[in-house]
Amino acid sequence: MAEDGAAQSASTQAWPLPSFYFKVSVTDVGDISCSEVSGLETEYDMIEYRAGDSPIFTKQKMPGMRKASDVTLKKGVFKDDKAMWDWINGIKLNTIKRATVTISLLDESGKPVKTWELTNAWPKKITVEGFKSDGNTAAIETLILAHEGVNVK
């Protein structure tokens, strides 16, 4: 019996999670039905240093300040769905209601397996993709979020 449990555990860990089943939530805005999320990145600046009396003639490379890339959300345009527009229209001179944005990768039962949290996020730009009279696609709006870091849970 223990062998079956170990074999099952090993087989479920052998498969990576699919990227198509995910959920996006924003505090005070709610769940957002997105078709695409991109830009979950963390990067560090590099500091180069060499002391003048160092016998080694190369620079040391050290991690510096952490940088957070913008995150892009793409979602369909729905009738009476103004949550993102209300959020971005709340921007006044140097003031905006910042939020925690949670992006969860879900398993087959809809439970979060891996979660990324954006700290102090706010909408930087919103764009509605163009319309075509002979097109056959859904109307999409793109929201770009600025934030101060990604935490993986």
Side-chain angles (χ1 to χ4, degrees):
M1 192 100 177
E3 248 179 40
D4 289 340
Q8 183 180 10
S9 176
S11 68
T12 57
Q13 293 176 359
W15 297 98
L17 296 167
S19 65
F20 59 80
Y21 196 27
F22 60 93
K23 177 180 165 182
V24 177
S25 299
V26 180
T27 54
D28 297 330
V29 174
D31 291 348
I32 302 169
S33 183
C34 295
S35 61
E36 185 178 330
V37 176
S38 61
L40 289 170
E41 300 176 9
T42 298
E43 181 180 353
Y44 289 87
D45 286 330
M46 183 178 60
I47 300 170
E48 292 184 336
Y49 175 78
R50 183 185 174 277
D53 61 351
S54 174
I56 301 168
F57 297 118
T58 59
K59 297 176 185 175
Q60 291 180 321
K61 294 181 180 180
M62 302 173 286
M65 299 290 285
R66 185 168 122 171
K67 295 190 286 187
S69 300
D70 292 342
V71 171
T72 302
L73 306 177
K74 290 191 176 190
K75 63 179 282 310
V77 176
F78 294 94
K79 182 181 176 186
D80 299 328
D81 178 12
K82 300 185 321 168
M84 300 318 283
W85 285 95
D86 290 344
W87 190 22
I88 199 165
N89 287 332
I91 295 176
K92 303 290 183 243
L93 182 64
N94 201 26
T95 60
I96 181 63
K97 183 167 183 151
R98 294 172 182 258
T100 299
V101 177
T102 306
I103 301 157
S104 302
L105 201 53
L106 308 175
D107 66 10
E108 61 276 355
S109 66
K111 294 179 184 167
V113 177
K114 192 105 173 173
T115 300
W116 295 263
E117 274 189 5
L118 309 181
T119 306
N120 292 328
W122 56 277
K124 178 177 155 181
K125 180 180 179 181
I126 192 165
T127 306
V128 178
E129 292 185 15
F131 307 121
K132 294 182 183 178
S133 63
D134 63 347
N136 195 19
T137 60
I140 300 290
E141 57 189 9
T142 301
L143 182 73
I144 298 176
L145 300 175
H147 61 94
E148 296 174 357
V150 178
N151 297 312
V152 180
K153 296 184 176 197

